[in-house]
Amino acid sequence: MASEVTGGYSQSGSQPSAAASSGEQDDEGAPMEELAELQILEEARLEKLFAEQSSQHSLDDERTLNTFFKLFDMWIQLYRLNKCMEALEEVVPICRKRGGDFHVKGVQALAFTLWKKSRFKESLELFHEIEDLIGSSAALCENMGHTYSSLGDLDEACKYFRRSLLCLDEEAKLGRKTGDKAGVLLGLGLIEDRRGKFEEALTVVRESQKLFRERAAGKPSSLVAKAGMSIAKLLLKLAAVESDEDKRKAMEEEAVERESENVALFEVTCGEDSPLTASALQGLGEALERRGRLQEATKCLARSYQLEAQKDAFDLLSVMHVHNKLFGAHMRLVRSGHALDRASFRSYLPTVDVALQRVESMNQDANAGAYYKVAAELVAFAEDHHKASALLSRAIELFKLEEDRGVAELISASEELKEYCDKQSAAKG
């Protein structure tokens, strides 16, 4: 977070982002490198200092709050979302009471954390609160554009992105830099993507990444990788409808190249266990699968699955997606003549167990049942038929609670697989 309130976290790439991800400065004013190892050390130092100041001076002390916001930037960069939420429950009321810059800093920190946890409506309300406090700025408008985009309101998203560009021009005339043209361009590119204008989107996103690279000046940057992820996805979409074989192959190969770079950048800047690394690994797995490099794809997808299952902001749809991609890649290998790799399926069981614990803590409905069913299919291939049968029983029970007739096929398929698993278990004695 910059020392001067700008009205929102800009420099985002494909999403709102704290200043820590785009050149946060240390206590001496020097740019802090985006290296996960250094950030973890800084996190430990700031956590110790924050605890000491909270004890000595109280949380409602300017020194303590200033340290907190530096710590918050580290937590956000390292995706410590649960830590952020726990601390902000106490910090935000204090900031609102103090008013001024602290009011804005506290509210925007909470808005950004909620955004990261996919609670977009709540995040948007807070961004509007900031807008009421200080008016429009390039950074704030950019963040609101990303949030409206995530909510599916593309018209409002486009309006705020374009308003951000206007604010950038006005701020430049005043000699101020509070926004991020690269991030705004990436946001607009994502809007064009969602409107199906893939070529136009690719052009805009490439320009965005170019600006991010110039800013990074040769150093590792998560923003270069965030733009790279969008480039890779657009390349695969264009390749899917490309009739020229050579052009299609070139697009897919570039997608593999971009995603490989993305994984490497996120590992260095955000950490090997970051959700951003998980997303890039999934993208790389999908690109490799498109090129027919299935065994490499399964390794990437398996690692992505593991990270998705354990991240703070657990997203069942994301977990289901990468699970199905991994399962599908193995089935493609079988169809191409390879034997079913049961050893790999057994190696995935710890990841499934982690995901099951997370799903068990959720509302037990048909969505939970859907995960129990796909988990059972994987567990059955790992030859743990007793566990697979138990999971299928839970899935069937939850499916039967639904009034939607569409679950009838799911129930039938689950009962059929359960019968097979029970027979296999009985045969083993």
Side-chain angles (χ1 to χ4, degrees):
M1 182 180 302
S3 59
E4 178 183 356
V5 174
T6 62
Y9 297 110
S10 62
Q11 296 84 26
S12 66
S14 59
Q15 57 186 312
S17 175
S21 66
S22 59
E24 175 66 22
Q25 296 186 337
D26 62 21
D27 292 337
E28 285 70 43
M32 179 174 292
E33 289 196 47
E34 239 190 309
L35 300 175
E37 291 181 0
L38 295 180
Q39 289 166 350
I40 290 171
L41 292 174
E42 180 67 358
E43 175 192 28
R45 183 186 76 82
L46 289 171
E47 284 183 344
K48 182 174 182 293
L49 180 60
F50 178 55
E52 291 173 351
Q53 291 179 335
S54 296
S55 176
Q56 295 172 7
H57 309 300
S58 85
L59 186 56
D60 190 3
D61 181 274
E62 186 170 334
R63 290 163 293 185
T64 308
L65 290 172
N66 284 332
T67 297
F68 167 75
F69 286 115
K70 292 178 182 178
L71 176 58
F72 173 80
D73 287 338
M74 289 296 100
W75 280 346
I76 281 295
Q77 180 70 0
L78 296 168
Y79 267 74
R80 316 290 201 219
L81 302 184
N82 291 340
K83 285 186 176 181
C84 290
M85 287 298 297
E86 183 178 354
L88 286 168
E89 286 181 4
E90 295 185 77
V91 170
V92 173
I94 291 172
C95 289
R96 280 192 168 120
K97 184 178 179 181
R98 276 179 162 265
D101 285 0
F102 279 118
H103 186 166
V104 178
K105 285 183 178 182
V107 172
Q108 67 185 9
L110 179 57
F112 181 67
T113 305
L114 289 169
W115 200 101
K116 284 284 190 180
K117 293 176 77 68
S118 299
R119 292 163 63 177
F120 303 121
K121 288 184 178 179
E122 295 168 82
S123 178
L124 184 62
E125 290 176 3
L126 294 171
F127 283 135
H128 277 297
E129 179 180 340
I130 298 169
E131 187 178 31
D132 291 340
L133 286 170
I134 62 172
S136 295
S137 72
L140 178 59
C141 289
E142 180 197 344
N143 288 342
M144 295 176 76
H146 289 300
T147 308
Y148 275 116
S149 177
S150 297
L151 288 168
D153 192 337
L154 302 188
D155 290 338
E156 282 296 299
C158 190
K159 181 181 81 174
Y160 271 97
F161 281 132
R162 296 196 182 283
R163 185 179 294 178
S164 179
L165 290 174
L166 292 174
C167 287
L168 275 171
D169 291 339
E170 291 301 315
E171 290 162 7
K173 292 177 183 177
L174 297 173
R176 292 192 290 128
K177 172 68 168 69
T178 61
D180 174 23
K181 186 175 181 180
V184 177
L185 288 175
L186 184 50
L188 285 171
L190 294 175
I191 297 298
E192 297 295 350
D193 176 11
R194 296 177 70 180
R195 286 174 167 166
K197 299 178 180 180
F198 303 141
E199 291 184 0
E200 293 90 334
L202 183 58
T203 298
V204 174
V205 174
R206 285 194 191 279
E207 177 63 21
S208 172
Q209 189 184 56
K210 177 184 174 183
L211 294 175
F212 283 137
R213 286 193 191 279
E214 291 174 356
R215 181 192 305 168
K219 294 181 179 180
S221 167
S222 63
L223 300 175
V224 171
K226 288 175 183 177
M229 288 180 66
S230 293
I231 290 172
K233 290 176 182 178
L234 286 164
L235 285 167
L236 291 180
K237 288 179 180 180
L238 288 168
V241 296
E242 178 57 60
S243 58
D244 186 295
E245 178 66 20
D246 291 337
K247 289 182 180 179
R248 180 186 63 79
K249 179 179 178 181
M251 290 178 183
E252 292 174 348
E253 291 291 354
E254 186 185 351
V256 171
E257 182 180 344
R258 289 281 69 76
E259 291 289 21
S260 297
E261 179 188 36
N262 299 336
V263 171
L265 285 172
F266 283 138
E267 286 178 335
V268 170
T269 60
C270 302
E272 293 185 356
D273 60 349
S274 168
L276 292 172
T277 303
S279 296
L281 282 164
Q282 181 176 323
L284 178 56
E286 292 176 4
L288 287 167
E289 184 177 5
R290 290 280 285 272
R291 292 303 308 138
R293 297 161 62 177
L294 297 174
Q295 292 179 327
E296 294 173 78
T298 59
K299 292 179 180 178
C300 293
L301 293 169
R303 189 173 158 213
S304 176
Y305 191 3
Q306 179 185 32
L307 296 177
E308 286 287 349
Q310 67 188 30
K311 72 181 186 182
D312 285 356
F314 183 80
D315 185 339
L316 180 56
L317 289 179
S318 296
V319 169
M320 290 280 288
H321 182 77
V322 71
H323 175 106
N324 291 333
K325 283 290 183 180
L326 176 60
F327 199 90
H330 274 286
M331 294 303 98
R332 280 193 63 188
L333 277 168
V334 171
R335 290 194 295 271
S336 66
H338 290 77
L340 182 65
D341 188 356
R342 295 190 184 277
S344 286
F345 281 103
R346 284 191 285 272
S347 75
Y348 306 149
L349 292 180
T351 295
V352 172
D353 286 340
V354 172
L356 285 170
Q357 291 178 0
R358 307 294 294 275
V359 174
E360 286 165 356
S361 68
M362 299 171 54
N363 183 36
Q364 297 301 286
D365 55 14
N367 291 321
Y371 184 74
Y372 295 145
K373 177 180 179 294
V374 297
E377 292 167 352
L378 186 150
V379 171
F381 276 135
E383 298 184 296
D384 188 344
H385 297 104
H386 178 74
K387 182 175 181 177
S389 177
L391 288 169
L392 288 164
S393 292
R394 295 168 72 181
I396 292 166
E397 179 182 348
L398 293 174
F399 289 150
K400 287 182 177 179
L401 296 176
E402 294 292 316
E403 297 180 359
D404 187 351
R405 295 180 181 178
V407 300
E409 292 184 7
L410 291 174
I411 294 172
S412 177
S414 298
E415 289 175 338
E416 184 177 338
L417 180 56
K418 184 179 184 304
E419 181 180 354
Y420 168 80
C421 290
D422 290 339
K423 288 180 179 179
Q424 293 298 311
S425 295
K428 292 178 182 178

